[in-house]
Amino acid sequence: RKVVRDFLRHGNFRTWVVMEMLLESQGNFASSFQMTIVNGLLLEANRDFSRNQCDLLLSCIRPLSQIFGLLLYVPMQKIGYSKVYTRGFQLNLAISLILFVFGSPSSARLVVFFIVVNAVAIHAVQGGFHLAMSDMVIEMKLNQAKEGRFDEPSLSGIFMGANALVCKPMDSFLPIVAAKCLGSSFSDVLTTASLGHDHQRALFYLMIGPAFFFSLIQLRVWKNYTLTKRRMEEMRAELKRLNENRQPERGRKNNRSKSLLQI
């Protein structure tokens, strides 16, 4: 009951869960439907792209994401992952807006640009997951320490479990939307059969729509996340002080217990 109450009062965790649900949904959709989008918008809508070029594009996305994830880890440590997440949402919003205004299913270069940048941005910022989990655990431990609850069990597993319980079901949201929008041609897209212009436009907007609308929501929600780099330094110092003040008190209690035993 205490753990449930702690989570309900944890505003930053609620903010994180909303953001992570949308990010998880985008990441799963981008990775699962990359071949579908490339087949429909590059191989079918743009005859200049060969099968080998499409395969090369698909094979480069994951290594690029991993490389940028490693490169972003240092900035995350220096300026804080919350700012890096904000920049990632802004980038996704900007590129999706560019394609809304200037792009079309036949805009091959813009489509390639979006596929690569969107996938890299989503997977790269996910490197902040463990940093965020650690910060939220510290915040909850601080709140518990202020209430005198120093001997609570470890919260790391509980945080990760609660996060997975809420966010993982969102993996299936966008694929369901895609299946509804593509309708009877959905199986044709997967096998690179000939697509009509309407279905290519539907696939184009399925590619950029989630990035645009989800990034808007994420930017709005993420403003409520208060665990900045400076704030975490203050929390760690306060938690350390509370633990240090607790030690003399525990020592006095032990001495009192020894005195009673001797009597």
Side-chain angles (χ1 to χ4, degrees), residues 140-172:
M140 186 175 285
K141 280 191 169 295
L142 177 60
N143 293 334
Q144 291 174 345
K146 289 178 179 178
E147 297 175 357
R149 296 159 55 196
F150 290 95
D151 298 322
E152 295 291 328
S154 175
L155 300 169
S156 302
I158 299 175
F159 265 94
M160 291 189 179
N163 180 82
L165 180 66
V166 177
C167 296
K168 281 299 180 183
M170 280 295 288
D171 283 356
S172 59

PDB file of all heavy atoms in Angstrom, residues 140-172:
ATOM      1  N   MET A 140      12.384   9.326  -4.989  1.00  0.00           N
ATOM      2  CA  MET A 140      11.472   8.624  -4.089  1.00  0.00           C
ATOM      3  C   MET A 140      12.153   8.279  -2.769  1.00  0.00           C
ATOM      4  O   MET A 140      11.535   8.369  -1.698  1.00  0.00           O
ATOM      5  CB  MET A 140      10.909   7.367  -4.750  1.00  0.00           C
ATOM      6  CG  MET A 140       9.840   6.685  -3.917  1.00  0.00           C
ATOM      7  SD  MET A 140       9.051   5.270  -4.729  1.00  0.00           S
ATOM      8  CE  MET A 140       7.980   6.101  -5.909  1.00  0.00           C
ATOM      9  N   LYS A 141      13.429   7.897  -2.819  1.00  0.00           N
ATOM     10  CA  LYS A 141      14.156   7.613  -1.579  1.00  0.00           C
ATOM     11  C   LYS A 141      14.260   8.861  -0.711  1.00  0.00           C
ATOM     12  O   LYS A 141      14.174   8.783   0.529  1.00  0.00           O
ATOM     13  CB  LYS A 141      15.553   7.068  -1.907  1.00  0.00           C
ATOM     14  CG  LYS A 141      15.569   5.603  -2.283  1.00  0.00           C
ATOM     15  CD  LYS A 141      16.977   5.061  -2.327  1.00  0.00           C
ATOM     16  CE  LYS A 141      16.975   3.544  -2.425  1.00  0.00           C
ATOM     17  NZ  LYS A 141      16.411   2.904  -1.217  1.00  0.00           N
ATOM     18  N   LEU A 142      14.440  10.015  -1.345  1.00  0.00           N
ATOM     19  CA  LEU A 142      14.495  11.265  -0.591  1.00  0.00           C
ATOM     20  C   LEU A 142      13.158  11.537   0.085  1.00  0.00           C
ATOM     21  O   LEU A 142      13.116  11.925   1.267  1.00  0.00           O
ATOM     22  CB  LEU A 142      14.880  12.418  -1.519  1.00  0.00           C
ATOM     23  CG  LEU A 142      14.904  13.815  -0.892  1.00  0.00           C
ATOM     24  CD1 LEU A 142      15.913  13.889   0.256  1.00  0.00           C
ATOM     25  CD2 LEU A 142      15.220  14.879  -1.945  1.00  0.00           C
ATOM     26  N   ASN A 143      12.074  11.345  -0.645  1.00  0.00           N
ATOM     27  CA  ASN A 143      10.746  11.566  -0.057  1.00  0.00           C
ATOM     28  C   ASN A 143      10.507  10.608   1.106  1.00  0.00           C
ATOM     29  O   ASN A 143       9.914  10.985   2.132  1.00  0.00           O
ATOM     30  CB  ASN A 143       9.662  11.388  -1.121  1.00  0.00           C
ATOM     31  CG  ASN A 143       9.707  12.469  -2.187  1.00  0.00           C
ATOM     32  OD1 ASN A 143      10.182  13.583  -1.930  1.00  0.00           O
ATOM     33  ND2 ASN A 143       9.221  12.171  -3.371  1.00  0.00           N
ATOM     34  N   GLN A 144      10.955   9.373   0.966  1.00  0.00           N
ATOM     35  CA  GLN A 144      10.795   8.404   2.051  1.00  0.00           C
ATOM     36  C   GLN A 144      11.666   8.771   3.250  1.00  0.00           C
ATOM     37  O   GLN A 144      11.240   8.633   4.402  1.00  0.00           O
ATOM     38  CB  GLN A 144      11.152   6.999   1.546  1.00  0.00           C
ATOM     39  CG  GLN A 144      10.162   6.442   0.543  1.00  0.00           C
ATOM     40  CD  GLN A 144      10.621   5.130  -0.050  1.00  0.00           C
ATOM     41  OE1 GLN A 144      11.784   4.742   0.068  1.00  0.00           O
ATOM     42  NE2 GLN A 144       9.711   4.418  -0.708  1.00  0.00           N
ATOM     43  N   ALA A 145      12.878   9.268   2.975  1.00  0.00           N
ATOM     44  CA  ALA A 145      13.774   9.665   4.069  1.00  0.00           C
ATOM     45  C   ALA A 145      13.194  10.830   4.857  1.00  0.00           C
ATOM     46  O   ALA A 145      13.341  10.903   6.086  1.00  0.00           O
ATOM     47  CB  ALA A 145      15.143  10.033   3.505  1.00  0.00           C
ATOM     48  N   LYS A 146      12.533  11.747   4.175  1.00  0.00           N
ATOM     49  CA  LYS A 146      11.906  12.879   4.853  1.00  0.00           C
ATOM     50  C   LYS A 146      10.799  12.426   5.792  1.00  0.00           C
ATOM     51  O   LYS A 146      10.479  13.102   6.776  1.00  0.00           O
ATOM     52  CB  LYS A 146      11.344  13.867   3.834  1.00  0.00           C
ATOM     53  CG  LYS A 146      12.415  14.646   3.079  1.00  0.00           C
ATOM     54  CD  LYS A 146      11.787  15.572   2.048  1.00  0.00           C
ATOM     55  CE  LYS A 146      12.847  16.385   1.307  1.00  0.00           C
ATOM     56  NZ  LYS A 146      12.240  17.254   0.262  1.00  0.00           N
ATOM     57  N   GLU A 147      10.199  11.270   5.484  1.00  0.00           N
ATOM     58  CA  GLU A 147       9.161  10.702   6.343  1.00  0.00           C
ATOM     59  C   GLU A 147       9.742   9.760   7.386  1.00  0.00           C
ATOM     60  O   GLU A 147       8.994   9.128   8.131  1.00  0.00           O
ATOM     61  CB  GLU A 147       8.133   9.954   5.484  1.00  0.00           C
ATOM     62  CG  GLU A 147       7.384  10.843   4.494  1.00  0.00           C
ATOM     63  CD  GLU A 147       6.462  10.045   3.596  1.00  0.00           C
ATOM     64  OE1 GLU A 147       6.446   8.803   3.717  1.00  0.00           O
ATOM     65  OE2 GLU A 147       5.755  10.655   2.781  1.00  0.00           O
ATOM     66  N   GLY A 148      11.073   9.621   7.420  1.00  0.00           N
ATOM     67  CA  GLY A 148      11.714   8.726   8.370  1.00  0.00           C
ATOM     68  C   GLY A 148      11.725   7.281   7.950  1.00  0.00           C
ATOM     69  O   GLY A 148      12.024   6.386   8.752  1.00  0.00           O
ATOM     70  N   ARG A 149      11.458   7.005   6.671  1.00  0.00           N
ATOM     71  CA  ARG A 149      11.412   5.628   6.169  1.00  0.00           C
ATOM     72  C   ARG A 149      12.739   5.315   5.466  1.00  0.00           C
ATOM     73  O   ARG A 149      12.836   5.314   4.250  1.00  0.00           O
ATOM     74  CB  ARG A 149      10.234   5.467   5.214  1.00  0.00           C
ATOM     75  CG  ARG A 149       8.881   5.665   5.863  1.00  0.00           C
ATOM     76  CD  ARG A 149       7.805   5.996   4.829  1.00  0.00           C
ATOM     77  NE  ARG A 149       7.740   4.991   3.783  1.00  0.00           N
ATOM     78  CZ  ARG A 149       7.119   5.184   2.620  1.00  0.00           C
ATOM     79  NH1 ARG A 149       6.531   6.362   2.372  1.00  0.00           N
ATOM     80  NH2 ARG A 149       7.091   4.235   1.708  1.00  0.00           N
ATOM     81  N   PHE A 150      13.751   5.012   6.267  1.00  0.00           N
ATOM     82  CA  PHE A 150      15.087   4.791   5.710  1.00  0.00           C
ATOM     83  C   PHE A 150      15.322   3.345   5.275  1.00  0.00           C
ATOM     84  O   PHE A 150      16.222   3.074   4.502  1.00  0.00           O
ATOM     85  CB  PHE A 150      16.149   5.171   6.749  1.00  0.00           C
ATOM     86  CG  PHE A 150      16.238   6.653   6.994  1.00  0.00           C
ATOM     87  CD1 PHE A 150      15.543   7.243   8.037  1.00  0.00           C
ATOM     88  CD2 PHE A 150      17.017   7.456   6.179  1.00  0.00           C
ATOM     89  CE1 PHE A 150      15.619   8.600   8.268  1.00  0.00           C
ATOM     90  CE2 PHE A 150      17.106   8.813   6.402  1.00  0.00           C
ATOM     91  CZ  PHE A 150      16.411   9.391   7.447  1.00  0.00           C
ATOM     92  N   ASP A 151      14.555   2.422   5.790  1.00  0.00           N
ATOM     93  CA  ASP A 151      14.828   1.001   5.562  1.00  0.00           C
ATOM     94  C   ASP A 151      13.879   0.366   4.555  1.00  0.00           C
ATOM     95  O   ASP A 151      13.593  -0.829   4.619  1.00  0.00           O
ATOM     96  CB  ASP A 151      14.742   0.242   6.891  1.00  0.00           C
ATOM     97  CG  ASP A 151      15.788   0.734   7.889  1.00  0.00           C
ATOM     98  OD1 ASP A 151      16.914   1.030   7.441  1.00  0.00           O
ATOM     99  OD2 ASP A 151      15.469   0.847   9.087  1.00  0.00           O
ATOM    100  N   GLU A 152      13.382   1.159   3.605  1.00  0.00           N
ATOM    101  CA  GLU A 152      12.497   0.612   2.575  1.00  0.00           C
ATOM    102  C   GLU A 152      13.303  -0.264   1.608  1.00  0.00           C
ATOM    103  O   GLU A 152      14.493  -0.031   1.382  1.00  0.00           O
ATOM    104  CB  GLU A 152      11.831   1.755   1.800  1.00  0.00           C
ATOM    105  CG  GLU A 152      10.888   2.611   2.626  1.00  0.00           C
ATOM    106  CD  GLU A 152       9.635   1.853   3.033  1.00  0.00           C
ATOM    107  OE1 GLU A 152       9.201   0.982   2.256  1.00  0.00           O
ATOM    108  OE2 GLU A 152       9.117   2.123   4.131  1.00  0.00           O
ATOM    109  N   PRO A 153      12.675  -1.282   1.006  1.00  0.00           N
ATOM    110  CA  PRO A 153      13.392  -2.154   0.054  1.00  0.00           C
ATOM    111  C   PRO A 153      13.794  -1.394  -1.206  1.00  0.00           C
ATOM    112  O   PRO A 153      13.286  -0.300  -1.474  1.00  0.00           O
ATOM    113  CB  PRO A 153      12.360  -3.245  -0.263  1.00  0.00           C
ATOM    114  CG  PRO A 153      11.041  -2.625   0.049  1.00  0.00           C
ATOM    115  CD  PRO A 153      11.281  -1.700   1.201  1.00  0.00           C
ATOM    116  N   SER A 154      14.692  -1.989  -1.983  1.00  0.00           N
ATOM    117  CA  SER A 154      15.165  -1.363  -3.224  1.00  0.00           C
ATOM    118  C   SER A 154      14.003  -1.114  -4.185  1.00  0.00           C
ATOM    119  O   SER A 154      13.109  -1.958  -4.342  1.00  0.00           O
ATOM    120  CB  SER A 154      16.207  -2.258  -3.895  1.00  0.00           C
ATOM    121  OG  SER A 154      16.587  -1.725  -5.134  1.00  0.00           O
ATOM    122  N   LEU A 155      14.039   0.054  -4.826  1.00  0.00           N
ATOM    123  CA  LEU A 155      12.940   0.458  -5.696  1.00  0.00           C
ATOM    124  C   LEU A 155      13.256   0.315  -7.175  1.00  0.00           C
ATOM    125  O   LEU A 155      12.374   0.524  -8.012  1.00  0.00           O
ATOM    126  CB  LEU A 155      12.585   1.927  -5.418  1.00  0.00           C
ATOM    127  CG  LEU A 155      12.148   2.255  -3.985  1.00  0.00           C
ATOM    128  CD1 LEU A 155      12.090   3.760  -3.794  1.00  0.00           C
ATOM    129  CD2 LEU A 155      10.786   1.639  -3.693  1.00  0.00           C
ATOM    130  N   SER A 156      14.492  -0.004  -7.521  1.00  0.00           N
ATOM    131  CA  SER A 156      14.893  -0.022  -8.932  1.00  0.00           C
ATOM    132  C   SER A 156      14.047  -1.001  -9.743  1.00  0.00           C
ATOM    133  O   SER A 156      13.525  -0.654 -10.808  1.00  0.00           O
ATOM    134  CB  SER A 156      16.366  -0.398  -9.051  1.00  0.00           C
ATOM    135  OG  SER A 156      17.176   0.508  -8.339  1.00  0.00           O
ATOM    136  N   GLY A 157      13.901  -2.219  -9.253  1.00  0.00           N
ATOM    137  CA  GLY A 157      13.113  -3.214  -9.973  1.00  0.00           C
ATOM    138  C   GLY A 157      11.654  -2.827 -10.079  1.00  0.00           C
ATOM    139  O   GLY A 157      11.004  -3.089 -11.096  1.00  0.00           O
ATOM    140  N   ILE A 158      11.127  -2.204  -9.009  1.00  0.00           N
ATOM    141  CA  ILE A 158       9.726  -1.792  -9.019  1.00  0.00           C
ATOM    142  C   ILE A 158       9.495  -0.728 -10.077  1.00  0.00           C
ATOM    143  O   ILE A 158       8.495  -0.758 -10.808  1.00  0.00           O
ATOM    144  CB  ILE A 158       9.312  -1.277  -7.625  1.00  0.00           C
ATOM    145  CG1 ILE A 158       9.459  -2.383  -6.585  1.00  0.00           C
ATOM    146  CG2 ILE A 158       7.885  -0.750  -7.650  1.00  0.00           C
ATOM    147  CD1 ILE A 158       9.192  -1.943  -5.171  1.00  0.00           C
ATOM    148  N   PHE A 159      10.416   0.222 -10.196  1.00  0.00           N
ATOM    149  CA  PHE A 159      10.279   1.281 -11.201  1.00  0.00           C
ATOM    150  C   PHE A 159      10.284   0.701 -12.607  1.00  0.00           C
ATOM    151  O   PHE A 159       9.444   1.057 -13.444  1.00  0.00           O
ATOM    152  CB  PHE A 159      11.412   2.299 -11.052  1.00  0.00           C
ATOM    153  CG  PHE A 159      11.044   3.485 -10.214  1.00  0.00           C
ATOM    154  CD1 PHE A 159      11.320   3.519  -8.862  1.00  0.00           C
ATOM    155  CD2 PHE A 159      10.413   4.578 -10.782  1.00  0.00           C
ATOM    156  CE1 PHE A 159      10.982   4.605  -8.086  1.00  0.00           C
ATOM    157  CE2 PHE A 159      10.071   5.674 -10.023  1.00  0.00           C
ATOM    158  CZ  PHE A 159      10.363   5.698  -8.666  1.00  0.00           C
ATOM    159  N   MET A 160      11.233  -0.186 -12.878  1.00  0.00           N
ATOM    160  CA  MET A 160      11.323  -0.763 -14.219  1.00  0.00           C
ATOM    161  C   MET A 160      10.107  -1.635 -14.534  1.00  0.00           C
ATOM    162  O   MET A 160       9.608  -1.636 -15.659  1.00  0.00           O
ATOM    163  CB  MET A 160      12.614  -1.566 -14.359  1.00  0.00           C
ATOM    164  CG  MET A 160      13.862  -0.698 -14.369  1.00  0.00           C
ATOM    165  SD  MET A 160      15.344  -1.620 -14.795  1.00  0.00           S
ATOM    166  CE  MET A 160      16.572  -0.310 -14.746  1.00  0.00           C
ATOM    167  N   GLY A 161       9.638  -2.367 -13.531  1.00  0.00           N
ATOM    168  CA  GLY A 161       8.462  -3.186 -13.744  1.00  0.00           C
ATOM    169  C   GLY A 161       7.221  -2.363 -14.011  1.00  0.00           C
ATOM    170  O   GLY A 161       6.431  -2.680 -14.916  1.00  0.00           O
ATOM    171  N   ALA A 162       7.037  -1.292 -13.238  1.00  0.00           N
ATOM    172  CA  ALA A 162       5.882  -0.420 -13.445  1.00  0.00           C
ATOM    173  C   ALA A 162       5.953   0.265 -14.802  1.00  0.00           C
ATOM    174  O   ALA A 162       4.941   0.418 -15.496  1.00  0.00           O
ATOM    175  CB  ALA A 162       5.821   0.630 -12.329  1.00  0.00           C
ATOM    176  N   ASN A 163       7.161   0.660 -15.194  1.00  0.00           N
ATOM    177  CA  ASN A 163       7.341   1.297 -16.497  1.00  0.00           C
ATOM    178  C   ASN A 163       6.971   0.339 -17.631  1.00  0.00           C
ATOM    179  O   ASN A 163       6.249   0.712 -18.563  1.00  0.00           O
ATOM    180  CB  ASN A 163       8.793   1.746 -16.643  1.00  0.00           C
ATOM    181  CG  ASN A 163       9.073   2.417 -17.967  1.00  0.00           C
ATOM    182  OD1 ASN A 163       8.809   3.589 -18.166  1.00  0.00           O
ATOM    183  ND2 ASN A 163       9.618   1.679 -18.909  1.00  0.00           N
ATOM    184  N   ALA A 164       7.440  -0.901 -17.551  1.00  0.00           N
ATOM    185  CA  ALA A 164       7.139  -1.889 -18.594  1.00  0.00           C
ATOM    186  C   ALA A 164       5.651  -2.226 -18.626  1.00  0.00           C
ATOM    187  O   ALA A 164       5.062  -2.376 -19.699  1.00  0.00           O
ATOM    188  CB  ALA A 164       7.959  -3.154 -18.365  1.00  0.00           C
ATOM    189  N   LEU A 165       5.038  -2.335 -17.443  1.00  0.00           N
ATOM    190  CA  LEU A 165       3.626  -2.689 -17.352  1.00  0.00           C
ATOM    191  C   LEU A 165       2.747  -1.665 -18.065  1.00  0.00           C
ATOM    192  O   LEU A 165       1.775  -2.019 -18.746  1.00  0.00           O
ATOM    193  CB  LEU A 165       3.210  -2.794 -15.879  1.00  0.00           C
ATOM    194  CG  LEU A 165       1.755  -3.164 -15.600  1.00  0.00           C
ATOM    195  CD1 LEU A 165       1.462  -4.576 -16.069  1.00  0.00           C
ATOM    196  CD2 LEU A 165       1.446  -3.007 -14.114  1.00  0.00           C
ATOM    197  N   VAL A 166       3.093  -0.383 -17.957  1.00  0.00           N
ATOM    198  CA  VAL A 166       2.277   0.672 -18.533  1.00  0.00           C
ATOM    199  C   VAL A 166       2.635   0.941 -19.992  1.00  0.00           C
ATOM    200  O   VAL A 166       1.756   1.172 -20.824  1.00  0.00           O
ATOM    201  CB  VAL A 166       2.424   1.969 -17.710  1.00  0.00           C
ATOM    202  CG1 VAL A 166       1.630   3.102 -18.340  1.00  0.00           C
ATOM    203  CG2 VAL A 166       1.968   1.753 -16.274  1.00  0.00           C
ATOM    204  N   CYS A 167       3.932   0.889 -20.318  1.00  0.00           N
ATOM    205  CA  CYS A 167       4.391   1.352 -21.636  1.00  0.00           C
ATOM    206  C   CYS A 167       4.364   0.273 -22.713  1.00  0.00           C
ATOM    207  O   CYS A 167       4.124   0.587 -23.885  1.00  0.00           O
ATOM    208  CB  CYS A 167       5.806   1.919 -21.517  1.00  0.00           C
ATOM    209  SG  CYS A 167       5.919   3.382 -20.465  1.00  0.00           S
ATOM    210  N   LYS A 168       4.633  -0.968 -22.371  1.00  0.00           N
ATOM    211  CA  LYS A 168       4.739  -2.008 -23.392  1.00  0.00           C
ATOM    212  C   LYS A 168       3.465  -2.205 -24.217  1.00  0.00           C
ATOM    213  O   LYS A 168       3.543  -2.480 -25.421  1.00  0.00           O
ATOM    214  CB  LYS A 168       5.166  -3.332 -22.752  1.00  0.00           C
ATOM    215  CG  LYS A 168       6.664  -3.420 -22.453  1.00  0.00           C
ATOM    216  CD  LYS A 168       7.480  -3.300 -23.740  1.00  0.00           C
ATOM    217  CE  LYS A 168       8.967  -3.375 -23.458  1.00  0.00           C
ATOM    218  NZ  LYS A 168       9.748  -3.182 -24.708  1.00  0.00           N
ATOM    219  N   PRO A 169       2.259  -2.110 -23.617  1.00  0.00           N
ATOM    220  CA  PRO A 169       1.062  -2.273 -24.453  1.00  0.00           C
ATOM    221  C   PRO A 169       0.964  -1.265 -25.596  1.00  0.00           C
ATOM    222  O   PRO A 169       0.295  -1.540 -26.600  1.00  0.00           O
ATOM    223  CB  PRO A 169      -0.090  -2.062 -23.443  1.00  0.00           C
ATOM    224  CG  PRO A 169       0.492  -2.480 -22.138  1.00  0.00           C
ATOM    225  CD  PRO A 169       1.916  -2.039 -22.177  1.00  0.00           C
ATOM    226  N   MET A 170       1.643  -0.114 -25.479  1.00  0.00           N
ATOM    227  CA  MET A 170       1.604   0.878 -26.551  1.00  0.00           C
ATOM    228  C   MET A 170       2.354   0.420 -27.795  1.00  0.00           C
ATOM    229  O   MET A 170       2.218   1.027 -28.866  1.00  0.00           O
ATOM    230  CB  MET A 170       2.193   2.198 -26.058  1.00  0.00           C
ATOM    231  CG  MET A 170       1.243   3.038 -25.234  1.00  0.00           C
ATOM    232  SD  MET A 170      -0.180   3.636 -26.178  1.00  0.00           S
ATOM    233  CE  MET A 170       0.596   4.882 -27.210  1.00  0.00           C
ATOM    234  N   ASP A 171       3.142  -0.654 -27.692  1.00  0.00           N
ATOM    235  CA  ASP A 171       3.847  -1.169 -28.868  1.00  0.00           C
ATOM    236  C   ASP A 171       2.893  -1.543 -29.995  1.00  0.00           C
ATOM    237  O   ASP A 171       3.242  -1.459 -31.175  1.00  0.00           O
ATOM    238  CB  ASP A 171       4.675  -2.403 -28.488  1.00  0.00           C
ATOM    239  CG  ASP A 171       5.954  -2.033 -27.754  1.00  0.00           C
ATOM    240  OD1 ASP A 171       6.224  -0.826 -27.618  1.00  0.00           O
ATOM    241  OD2 ASP A 171       6.674  -2.947 -27.301  1.00  0.00           O
ATOM    242  N   SER A 172       1.698  -1.985 -29.630  1.00  0.00           N
ATOM    243  CA  SER A 172       0.748  -2.459 -30.642  1.00  0.00           C
ATOM    244  C   SER A 172      -0.190  -1.369 -31.141  1.00  0.00           C
ATOM    245  O   SER A 172      -0.972  -1.617 -32.063  1.00  0.00           O
ATOM    246  CB  SER A 172      -0.079  -3.614 -30.066  1.00  0.00           C
ATOM    247  OG  SER A 172      -0.777  -3.191 -28.902  1.00  0.00           O
TER     248      SER A 172
END
